[in-house]
Amino acid sequence: MASGTVTSSEYISHHLTNLTFGNHPEAGWKLAESAGEAAAMGFWAINVDTMLWSVGLGVFFLWFFGKVAKTATAGVPGSTQNFIETIIEFVDDNVKSIFHYKSPVIAPLALTIFVWVFLMNAMDLVPVDWLPYIAGQMGIEFMKVVPTTDVNATGGMALSVFALIVYYSIKQKGVNGFFKELAFQPLPKIFMPFNLFLEIVGLIAKPVSLALRLFGNMYAGEMIFILIALLPFWIQWLLSVPWAIFHILIITLQAFIFMVLTIVYLAMAHDDH
Amino acid sequence: MNINLTIIGQAIAFFFFVVFCMKYVWPPITGALAERKKKIAEGLDAADRATRDLHLAQEKATANMRESKLEAAAIIEQANKRASQIVDEAKEQARAEADRVKVAAQAEIEQDVNRAKEALRSQVAALVVAGAEKILETSIDEKAHAQLLNKLATEL
């Protein structure tokens, strides 16, 4: 959609701006009309597009899986149930091979992460201009349809995983045990401050890396789609088709990585050192 | 790319999704999977058992058949023996009957011969008397010569 009235940089920054609703220091509560306005709103703002798309996809995921779960039969499964079972068994196998404790939470958590992240990533395959154009026709200025290209979406999940890491560490080892794990290794006790610093950095790095890995991958992928969209329309397919095919791998892989790392971190939280 | 309230909103949404998944998605499907696994295991077990039963039945059938064959052979042998015995008995009986018939016939013949002799004897006397009467042309006193004639007849 590289039309004459919009410069390339305007086009790119338009596609990278969320639809933000927040408290502007001067104008009060309103939808941001530019990236600058959105930035000025600071923390007290919400990315409406990210929320809508991610919650919508999450609801779709649970509706679809829930519908199958309600009619799940131990007899001969239908093709839909077969498909769902394949995903569930895949997730279950991964959880069982990594996480050796009994927990009713980890496996459903892993499934939710895998499918939800996959669906959010998959929005990347919708041509970059379609949904923003439709939204534009409806009078909505900004529309970022891939929630995982918003660091808030990946960060929200990573933060939840971090909370679970801390929760399970304390639940399994007690506050003292958790503190000992942070303070008394890898070096002997006398190096406690150094140990503490090292381990806390390691601990914080887990959710940060989790959030930024997914965000970075999807953001970069989206960016390339946007750049390809700047080319003349008759040559775009030459680049966008191979990139989209490659991206099918990326979106699945990133969803898988997020899931596996979550399981690994929670397994580590259960392990006693 | 600003960090804002969305991060909290996402965390809340994530929490609810996980809870829903934990309550309504995961248990029924894994339950169905486990149940199917059990069913399949039971089915395989049943198949194994059936195969074993079949083998046993086949063995039993073969044994039965062998036994029956032996029994049948014994029965046939016995029957043959009995048959030859019957034949022998019949032969024996027939021979005895034949002997008996022969003896009876012989006795009858003898009796007939005797009877014929007797008749002849009685008639010979009359004939002799008649002949003598004719020869002598005289009446012979029958009473006087009867003793002599009878003596003659017995000598025949």
Side-chain angles (χ1 to χ4, degrees):
Chain A
M1 206 180 84
S3 65
T5 53
V6 183
T7 66
S8 292
S9 70
E10 273 170 354
Y11 175 78
I12 292 170
S13 73
H14 170 265
H15 271 269
L16 292 179
T17 306
N18 282 107
L19 180 67
T20 309
F21 178 81
N23 189 6
H24 194 266
E26 283 145 35
W29 289 93
K30 61 181 279 237
L31 279 169
E33 277 153 30
S34 68
E37 246 183 51
M41 285 170 179
F43 185 76
W44 296 103
I46 193 147
N47 295 342
V48 182
D49 48 1
T50 302
M51 286 308 292
L52 277 179
W53 286 109
S54 62
V55 170
L57 289 167
V59 167
F60 169 75
F61 149 60
L62 291 171
W63 166 78
F64 187 58
F65 274 58
K67 196 183 69 166
V68 172
K70 208 181 262 175
T71 56
T73 163
V76 181
S79 50
T80 321
Q81 197 188 332
N82 231 334
F83 170 67
I84 301 297
E85 280 176 5
T86 312
I87 297 172
I88 293 218
E89 289 210 296
F90 169 71
V91 172
D92 203 31
D93 284 349
N94 275 299
V95 171
K96 281 197 178 122
S97 66
I98 300 168
F99 187 83
H100 301 295
Y101 303 89
K102 274 245 166 288
S103 168
V105 181
I106 306 302
L109 174 81
L111 176 72
T112 309
I113 289 175
F114 181 65
V115 181
W116 195 30
V117 170
F118 175 82
L119 286 173
M120 290 194 287
N121 289 354
M123 293 304 291
D124 217 359
L125 296 174
V126 179
V128 278
D129 280 320
W130 285 10
L131 294 169
Y133 180 74
I134 293 169
Q137 294 304 100
M138 288 160 61
I140 300 163
E141 175 71 18
F142 300 107
M143 181 56 69
K144 239 174 114 180
V145 296
V146 191
T148 40
T149 57
D150 181 354
V151 77
N152 289 300
T154 61
M157 261 190 294
L159 222 63
S160 310
V161 172
F162 180 70
L164 283 174
I165 292 173
V166 174
Y167 170 74
Y168 279 116
S169 291
I170 291 171
K171 192 185 167 202
Q172 290 293 313
K173 303 159 211 167
V175 178
N176 277 337
F178 187 37
F179 178 76
K180 271 186 208 157
E181 192 179 296
L182 292 176
F184 299 155
Q185 59 152 8
L187 297 175
K189 282 184 186 178
I190 40 163
F191 297 103
M192 197 179 92
F194 179 75
N195 285 340
L196 214 52
F197 170 74
L198 211 64
E199 287 291 320
I200 284 175
V201 167
L203 189 66
I204 305 276
K206 284 173 184 172
V208 171
S209 69
L210 216 49
L212 291 184
R213 177 183 305 105
L214 180 58
F215 163 71
N217 269 284
M218 299 322 295
Y219 190 83
E222 177 80 344
M223 184 68 121
I224 296 200
F225 275 121
I226 293 169
L227 290 177
I228 291 170
L230 286 169
L231 294 170
F233 74 92
W234 47 268
I235 197 77
Q236 285 182 17
W237 66 272
L238 200 65
L239 290 169
S240 64
V241 168
W243 184 240
I245 292 169
F246 178 60
H247 228 67
I248 294 172
L249 177 71
I250 300 285
I251 60 178
T252 319
L253 193 65
Q254 285 305 320
F256 176 68
I257 289 172
F258 203 111
M259 174 190 83
V260 168
L261 284 178
T262 304
I263 303 168
V264 169
Y265 291 157
L266 291 175
M268 281 164 74
H270 281 71
D271 283 337
D272 235 328
H273 293 287
Chain B
M1 199 199 82
N2 321 297
I3 297 225
N4 56 25
L5 268 182
T6 315
I7 198 165
I8 310 276
Q10 287 285 319
I12 293 167
F14 183 53
F15 172 78
F16 283 117
F17 289 157
V18 171
V19 168
F20 186 92
C21 184
M22 218 171 84
K23 283 224 158 96
Y24 300 108
V25 175
W26 191 264
I29 295 179
T30 47
L33 284 173
E35 205 182 318
R36 186 175 317 135
K37 204 186 254 179
K38 217 176 84 192
K39 263 190 187 171
I40 291 172
E42 275 167 8
L44 288 175
D45 257 9
D48 273 354
R49 226 176 305 126
T51 319
R52 221 175 307 126
D53 284 357
L54 179 66
H55 273 303
L56 281 180
Q58 271 173 342
E59 262 165 42
K60 214 173 175 184
T62 343
N64 274 349
M65 192 114 53
R66 206 179 306 125
E67 212 169 285
S68 314
K69 266 184 192 162
L70 285 178
E71 218 166 291
I75 287 171
I76 289 170
E77 203 181 326
Q78 209 176 336
N80 279 338
K81 216 185 279 171
R82 177 93 186 103
S84 58
Q85 201 180 334
I86 286 170
V87 168
D88 282 353
E89 265 171 28
K91 268 185 195 164
E92 204 61 43
Q93 257 175 1
R95 201 171 294 135
E97 180 74 16
D99 282 354
R100 201 173 54 78
V101 168
K102 213 158 74 183
V103 168
Q106 265 172 352
E108 208 171 326
I109 289 166
E110 218 163 293
Q111 215 175 345
D112 276 357
V113 167
N114 282 346
R115 206 177 295 132
K117 272 183 185 167
E118 202 73 34
L120 206 60
R121 214 176 275 146
S122 63
Q123 279 178 11
V124 162
L127 278 172
V128 169
V129 170
E133 260 180 9
K134 277 204 177 133
I135 295 163
L136 294 175
E137 293 213 38
T138 53
S139 151
I140 294 167
D141 186 4
E142 276 183 51
K143 279 175 193 157
H145 300 289
Q147 205 174 357
L148 181 73
L149 287 169
N150 276 343
K151 202 177 162 196
L152 190 72
T154 47
E155 274 167 19
L156 275 166

